[in-house]
Amino acid sequence: MRGDDYSLSLLPPVIAIGVTMLAGAWCFTQGGIIGASAEVEGKGTVWGTALSAFGAFLMVVDLLFVLVITFGGEGGMIPESAWPLLTGAMTMIGASFAAALAIMVAAKAGAAMITERPELSIWSLLFIALGEGLAIYGLIVAILLSSG
């Protein structure tokens, strides 16, 4: 039977999950507000959609962590050899989401920049390539985590 020490050791992850769940809900709500106000003003913005997507991503990751804490761990449903693969997969999910968000924003801003000043088109490609670098670095870290 698990004692008080085990429940005290779960306190920091539970607090962290609760705080990030609130942050995800806040991002999701604020993204909807930004998107709605931009639509009323007749301006197209990607920030509301991006913030909503980030909030939804935080809430999904929190749900996964709750499942891992509840059913995983020592003597749980998840064997000890699977943890490196799970951490690698979570790292790759986060890195690919961040890269997609960066590429989405850079492509939209680059398209607006090219219409105003076409001579700066190489800069938009550079910013999109930096977003791709996030995915590549995430892949490298995921490989290192899953192999170790």
Side-chain angles (χ1 to χ4, degrees):
M1 186 166 155
R2 298 177 177 175
D4 289 335
D5 292 337
Y6 181 74
S7 56
L8 284 177
S9 70
L10 283 180
L11 190 60
V14 167
I15 290 172
I17 287 172
V19 168
T20 53
M21 186 66 89
L22 287 173
W26 182 85
C27 288
F28 195 72
T29 306
Q30 292 298 317
I33 291 170
I34 290 170
S37 65
E39 188 176 313
V40 167
E41 293 175 4
K43 298 178 183 176
T45 180
V46 74
W47 294 108
T49 307
L51 197 58
S52 293
F54 183 68
F57 174 73
L58 277 178
M59 290 191 284
V60 167
V61 167
D62 283 339
L63 180 65
L64 289 175
F65 280 137
V66 166
L67 290 175
V68 165
I69 287 175
T70 304
F71 300 116
E74 202 169 311
M77 292 177 62
I78 301 173
E80 202 61 37
S81 61
W83 284 105
L85 297 174
L86 284 173
T87 56
M90 294 296 284
T91 302
M92 195 60 224
I93 289 170
S96 60
F97 182 79
L101 191 63
I103 291 169
M104 177 179 66
V105 171
K108 182 166 173 60
M113 182 176 64
I114 288 174
T115 58
E116 292 179 13
R117 296 183 60 189
E119 65 271 8
L120 296 177
S121 63
I122 191 68
W123 286 102
S124 66
L125 292 175
L126 178 67
F127 290 133
I128 291 172
L130 288 173
E132 290 288 336
L134 280 173
I136 292 170
Y137 287 131
L139 177 65
I140 291 169
V141 170
I143 290 171
L144 288 173
L145 283 173
S146 63
S147 65

